[in-house]
C-alpha cells in the first residue's frame, strides 16, 4: 500500500502525462492542417502516436492495479483524473485514446461497482 502523500504524487504525475497527451494531440491536429504537411510529417505523427499509445497503456495499467488493490476506496482518487478520461472519449479524439479510456472505465465498473453508476 502507498500512503496519501505518495498517492497525491502519483495522481499529479498521471495528470501531467494526461495533460501532455492532450496537448500533443492538439498539436498533431494542427500539423495535419498545416501547409507543410506531407508523408514525412505524418510518419513523425505516427511515431508519436505509438509512444503515446504505450504511455496511455501504462497509465491504464497503473489505474487497473490501483482499482484492484483499493477497489471502492480508489474512487475518490480517480475522481481527480476523471475529466481527462472523459475528454479522451470525445468523438474528435484518436481511437487509441478511446480504447484506453474505455479500459479505465471498465476497471471502475469491475472494481468499484457501487460507485460506477455516478459516471453514467
Amino acid at each position: 500500500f502507498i500512503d496519501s502523500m505518495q498517492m497525491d504524487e502519483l495522481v499529479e504525475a498521471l495528470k501531467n502525462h494526461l495533460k501532455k497527451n492532450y496537448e500533443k494531440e492538439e498539436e498533431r491536429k494542427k500539423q495535419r492542417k498545416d501547409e507543410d504537411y506531407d508523408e514525412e510529417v505524418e510518419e513523425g505523427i505516427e511515431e508519436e502516436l505509438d509512444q503515446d499509445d504505450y504511455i496511455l497503456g501504462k497509465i491504464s495499467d497503473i489505474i487497473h492495479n490501483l482499482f484492484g488493490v483499493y477497489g471502492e476506496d480508489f474512487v475518490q482518487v480517480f475522481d481527480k483524473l476523471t475529466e481527462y478520461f472523459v475528454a479522451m472519449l470525445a468523438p474528435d479524439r484518436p481511437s487509441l485514446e478511446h480504447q484506453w479510456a474505455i479500459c479505465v472505465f471498465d476497471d471502475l465498473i469491475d472494481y468499484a461497482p457501487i460507485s460506477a453508476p455516478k459516471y453514467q
Side-chain angles (χ1 to χ4, degrees):
F1 289 96
I2 59 177
D3 64 35
S4 63
M5 186 159 53
Q6 292 168 322
M7 185 68 78
D8 289 343
E9 289 174 10
L10 177 59
V11 167
E12 283 307 308
L14 294 174
K15 278 184 181 181
N16 288 334
H17 282 291
L18 292 167
K19 282 180 194 176
K20 187 185 296 183
N21 177 74
Y22 187 86
E23 292 165 359
K24 285 169 48 178
E25 179 57 27
E26 292 303 306
E27 182 59 33
R28 285 191 287 265
K29 286 179 187 177
K30 289 178 187 174
Q31 287 177 336
R32 284 182 167 134
K33 292 179 182 177
D34 191 275
E35 64 184 45
D36 294 331
Y37 175 77
D38 60 12
E39 284 184 35
E40 191 175 313
V41 172
E42 183 60 30
E43 286 177 19
I45 288 173
E46 291 299 323
E47 287 177 22
E48 280 185 14
L49 282 170
D50 287 344
Q51 292 171 354
D52 289 348
D53 185 40
Y54 177 79
I55 292 168
L56 289 173
K58 293 302 174 188
I59 290 171
S60 176
D61 289 345
I62 291 167
I63 291 174
H64 170 83
N65 288 320
L66 290 168
F67 269 123
V69 170
Y70 295 101
E72 293 285 342
D73 293 333
F74 182 64
V75 172
Q76 69 185 31
V77 176
F78 178 70
D79 282 342
K80 299 173 186 175
L81 301 169
T82 305
E83 68 180 286
Y84 302 101
F85 293 106
V86 170
M88 289 167 61
L89 293 170
D92 65 330
R93 302 307 288 180
S95 59
L96 68 93
E97 287 187 15
H98 295 164
Q99 169 192 335
W100 293 119
I102 289 168
C103 287
V104 167
F105 283 109
D106 182 60
D107 286 336
L108 167 72
I109 292 165
D110 288 347
Y111 293 105
I114 294 169
S115 298
K118 83 176 194 177
Y119 295 94
Q120 291 185 14

